Structures are given as C-alpha cells and as structure tokens.
C-alpha cells in the first residue's frame, strides 16, 4: 500500500499502514511540569562534579536543551564512555520524573486510539528515553496501542535524530515498508530523519515558528492541531 504523493494530511494519514509518532510534542509536552531548563542545569552540574569542564555545554544549558548537553559532552569527551553512561542515566531518570507531569497534546490520545482501533500499527520514534515514553503511555492508558513499539534514545547520542536509527528500528519491528509508513513530528530533526529513512512525513506545528522550521527542513505538509485528524484515522 504505497502512499501517493499528497499534500492533504488526511490522505497521508489514511494511506499509512503504520504511523510513527515523535514523543515530546506530538504526544505530550514532556517537560511541562518538570522544566527542561532545570534538567540541563543539573546535567551540567553533574558534569562539573565529575571533574569535567562544563563550558562545552554552556550553550545547551542556556537553551534549556538536555539532549544538547549529551551531544556536547560526546563531542568534547568522545572516548569517555563511563561519563556518557552516568549522564545518560541521569537524563533518563529526569525524563521519567517529567513523564509523571507531562501535559497531553490536544487530540493526540484520541488520534492514537482511533488509529489503533482501525488496525493501523503504531510506534514511537523519539530522542527521549524509552523508559519515559513507556511511563507516560502507561499513565494515560495508551501503552497497548503501541504494542511495545517504542524506539527511543540508546547509549550513543550520535544516533539521535536527525540520524534515522530509531526509524529504521521501528520499520524493522513493525515489518512495514518505509513508503507505507508515516511519521508525525514537530522538529527539523524529525523531518530530516524521516527523509533519510524514506518515510513520508507529516509535520505538527503548533505555532508559526515551528511551521517555519519544518518548512525550511523540507516538510511539505504540516498541521497546527491533531484534533482534526481523528476522522481520517
């Protein structure tokens, strides 16, 4: 069931045999109650406590970007696997805490349930921790809809999106051809990863700034809300 080239989001969705959701954004606002700024600051403090210079992560701390902290540490300490493991473990713990107070994206749960009820396979393809994703999905009763297909951050930050690694794993686990899948994402990294994997893409742009970033990354089709997609599921 190869998807046609379409500019109608409803056609894209109804043509997909499997839908991949990015997590933080399309499914929920992960750090709504446990701010990302504090997470990034604590990661930097841990880095300093371990005797490393926190200067390389200063930009990511300023931007409230915990994943950016991981990427900066890998870049500046590429051989220090033990350091990466410590920071990865701390970030995972922070994300699991955040999942407990994450705010659902309007329309996301209804869309997930409608797609699952229609027999569409579902997967999560995210740069966040699989443990945090599983915790949130269990909290909102969405876990069975994804049937264990959670493909998140592994030990190597180099494989975070825009690398297509998590999409390749999702394609393998669901047994769906790339052209028959659809990814819903809200960042340029999502769009680029989908393109590299050959997976059609539907942008979720809740504001003009995100729409512009997605458009600049090559996203041809975006929606400002997921609520209107439920009828196409």
């Amino acid at each position: 069931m190869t998807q046609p080239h379409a500019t109608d989001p409803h056609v894209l969705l109804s043509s997909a045999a499997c839908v991949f959701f990015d997590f933080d954004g399309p499914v929920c606002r992960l750090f709504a109650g446990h701010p990302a700024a504090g997470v990034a600051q604590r990661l930097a403090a841990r880095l300093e406590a371990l005797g490393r210079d926190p200067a390389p992560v200063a930009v990511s701390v300023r931007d409230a970007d915990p994943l950016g902290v991981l990427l900066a540490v890998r870049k500046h300490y590429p051989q220090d696997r033990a350091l990466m493991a410590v920071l990865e473990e701390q970030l995972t713990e922070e994300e699991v805490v955040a999942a407990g107070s994450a705010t659902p994206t309007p329309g996301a749960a209804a869309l997930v349930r409608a797609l699952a009820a229609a027999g569409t396979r579902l997967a999560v393809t995210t740069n966040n921790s699989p443990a945090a994703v599983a915790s949130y999905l269990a909290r909102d009763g969405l876990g069975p809809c994804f049937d264990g297909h959670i493909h998140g951050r592994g030990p190597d930050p180099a494989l975070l999106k825009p690398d297509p690694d998590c999409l390749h794993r999702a394609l393998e686990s669901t047994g769906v051809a790339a052209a028959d899948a659809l990814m819903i994402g809200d960042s340029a990294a999502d769009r680029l990863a989908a393109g590299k994997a050959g997976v059609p893409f539907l942008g979720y742009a809740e504001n003009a700034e995100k729409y512009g970033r997605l458009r600049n990354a090559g996203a041809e089709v975006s929606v400002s809300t997921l609520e209107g997609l439920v009828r196409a599921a």
Side-chain angles (χ1 to χ4, degrees):
M1 185 174 62
T2 301
Q3 290 193 28
H5 179 77
T7 57
D8 184 336
H10 299 92
V11 172
L12 281 172
L13 191 64
S14 63
S15 301
C18 185
V19 177
F20 300 161
F21 284 84
D22 178 45
F23 178 60
D24 187 11
V27 175
C28 68
R29 288 181 58 223
L30 177 58
F31 295 107
H34 189 70
V39 176
Q41 290 166 4
R42 287 187 289 275
L43 288 172
R46 185 69 176 279
L47 181 66
E48 188 170 17
L50 291 170
R52 307 303 198 279
D53 181 6
V57 305
V59 172
S60 295
V61 172
R62 182 198 68 197
D63 293 343
D65 182 5
L67 288 172
V69 173
L70 281 191
L71 290 168
V73 170
R74 184 187 184 279
K75 178 179 179 180
H76 289 275
Y77 303 101
Q79 305 304 320
D80 199 335
R81 295 184 180 180
L83 175 63
M84 286 303 309
V86 169
L87 295 177
E88 161 59 34
E89 181 180 12
Q90 179 168 332
L91 178 54
T92 293
E93 291 172 356
E94 295 269 13
E95 288 181 340
V96 170
V97 171
S101 56
T103 301
T105 296
L111 178 59
V112 165
R113 291 189 174 101
L115 287 167
T120 304
R121 280 165 279 185
L122 302 176
V124 175
T125 50
T126 178
N127 283 345
N128 296 118
S129 162
V133 177
S135 177
Y136 176 83
L137 295 180
R139 189 197 88 179
D140 274 24
L142 298 175
C145 296
F146 289 90
D147 194 26
H149 296 294
I150 299 172
H151 303 283
R153 186 176 65 248
D156 186 358
L159 297 179
L160 295 175
K161 291 175 290 185
D163 189 280
D165 173 69
C166 64
L167 280 86
H168 286 155
R169 287 186 276 129
L171 290 169
E172 182 177 1
S173 77
T174 58
V176 174
D180 294 332
L182 175 71
M183 180 174 184
I184 299 177
D186 70 337
S187 71
D190 292 329
R191 167 64 186 91
L192 293 171
K196 292 174 183 177
V199 173
F201 184 79
L202 175 59
Y204 169 58
E206 58 185 335
N207 55 50
E209 182 181 359
K210 283 196 172 184
Y211 177 83
R213 290 177 181 175
L214 286 171
R215 188 72 178 177
N216 289 339
E220 296 181 353
V221 190
S222 294
V223 294
S224 60
T225 177
L226 301 182
E227 294 174 300
L229 295 176
V230 175
R231 64 181 175 83

